[in-house]
Structure formats: structure tokens, C-alpha cells
Amino acid sequence: MKKVVIGLTGGIGTGKSTVSQILQRKGYKVIDLDVISHEVIKFPKVVEKIVQNFGREILESDDFGKYNISREKLGKIIFENKEKRLILNSIMHPEILRAMREEILEYKKESKIVFVEIQLLFEVQWEKEFDYILLVSAEKDTQVKRILNRDRRSEEEALNIINSQMSLNEKKKRSDYIIENDGNIQDLEKKIDEFLKKVEFENKTEKIE
């Protein structure tokens, strides 16, 4: 079987993190881009560039008197301002991409399948980084219910976040595999097993062009 890198994506509340946890439990390597972004935003050169563009008011001090970027303050700014969001992306994305590629190379040394969990895969146009894209999808009602159960948000806030993202129907058109996740955890486990069998079967040998 050839080694493959699969981008794992989906909208908020679809359950992609749950899929990641199940995959890890089954022994698969999963790179979480959210974890990488948390690390990148602490890089001194990244902090410096963000402060230059957003001001010192987005800094907060920790218990040791060290100043870090407040993701909450930054999030409020970029959510309401597309231009600011593009500026932040231009600072963060090259560093995140570099770190992601390094982790993929490390994991491919010991694993035939590497997953990368990335919520905004299509929005940042990183499709070419992956051999396949797996989309975790769910009905909008299911998404809202999960967001309300998980976060301290109103139904209106949940819908605003969902509607601010690329539609799942559009993401489905661009994905190689889709897992519909509107049922219980047992249903999800079964669908993941079916997906893994399909991927492993299709990649036992190199594809002939």
C-alpha cells in the first residue's frame, strides 16, 4: 500500500474532532492543525508581526508575567473584519504550513496513512497538500444542537458561525470521501471502519494513470 495523507475537514459541529479521536484510538496518526496554530502564534517572530499589525492591546500576560497573543481578542477583530483576517492569515499560514509539512514527513516514516484535521481546508485552498480529502458532514439542525451542548453560545450565534463558513454542500463537491454524522457514536464508528477499508483497498497498489 502506498503512503497517503488525508485531509480531514468539516464544518463546526459536524464531529470531525470525534472522528479524529476514533482514528487515533485505532492507531492512526492524526495531525491537529489547531494544535499547530496554538504553537505558531507563540513564535517570537509571529508575535512581533501580529503586534505590528493589530497593536499591543491584543496582548495578555500569563501568570509568569510573559505576554502572549490573546486568541479571544484577536478572534473578535478578525471575525468582524475580512481585511484584518487576511492580514492575520498572511502572517500565520506560511508558518502553519511549514510546521504541518514537517510533521507529515515525520509521521510518514512510520505510518502508511496520515490524517490532518483542518477545519478550513477549502477556505485556505490547501487541497493540493493532501492525497485525499475526507469530509465529516451533518445536517444544520444537528450542528446547532452540538454547538449549543458544547459551547456557551446562543442559537443565533451558532447559526451565524455556520453561515459564515463555506457551505457543506460546496465542500461535498470538493471532497473525495464523505461521512454523514447525524447518528450516534456506534453509527459513526461503523462508517469510519467502512471508510478505512475502502481507502486501504483502493491504495494497496499504486494507481495506474
Side-chain angles (χ1 to χ4, degrees), residues 17-136:
S17 294
T18 303
V19 172
S20 285
Q21 291 164 10
I22 293 170
L23 289 168
Q24 289 179 77
R25 199 168 68 235
K26 292 177 179 294
Y28 290 90
K29 298 292 186 183
V30 180
I31 297 167
D32 186 343
L33 231 67
D34 199 39
V35 171
I36 289 178
S37 71
H38 275 73
E39 295 168 352
V40 164
I41 205 167
K42 294 178 182 176
F43 291 177
K45 62 179 178 181
V46 171
V47 172
E48 185 180 346
K49 287 180 182 177
I50 291 175
V51 170
Q52 283 173 359
N53 285 276
F54 293 87
R56 295 191 62 82
E57 57 267 24
I58 52 95
L59 292 173
E60 62 182 3
S61 61
D62 59 21
D63 296 336
F64 304 99
K66 182 182 177 183
Y67 283 92
N68 296 306
I69 302 293
S70 167
R71 291 174 63 90
E72 186 179 348
K73 291 177 184 176
L74 198 55
K76 286 178 181 177
I77 293 170
I78 64 168
F79 188 73
E80 297 167 356
N81 189 318
K82 184 180 179 182
E83 187 179 323
K84 292 283 189 182
R85 188 159 64 246
L86 291 173
I87 291 170
L88 181 64
N89 289 348
S90 71
I91 296 168
M92 294 280 292
H93 286 179
E95 295 295 332
I96 293 172
L97 190 59
R98 181 188 55 76
M100 181 189 81
R101 286 170 173 168
E102 286 179 0
E103 284 202 31
I104 287 172
L105 285 174
E106 281 301 309
Y107 282 169
K108 282 176 83 172
K109 291 176 184 176
E110 54 188 87
S111 302
K112 292 190 181 298
I113 302 178
V114 177
F115 291 89
V116 180
E117 182 185 341
I118 167 172
Q119 180 167 317
L120 302 178
L121 189 157
F122 298 111
E123 288 84 344
V124 298
Q125 300 179 340
W126 286 359
E127 293 99 315
K128 290 183 180 179
E129 297 293 321
F130 309 104
D131 298 299
Y132 303 105
I133 295 171
L134 167 63
L135 176 72
V136 184

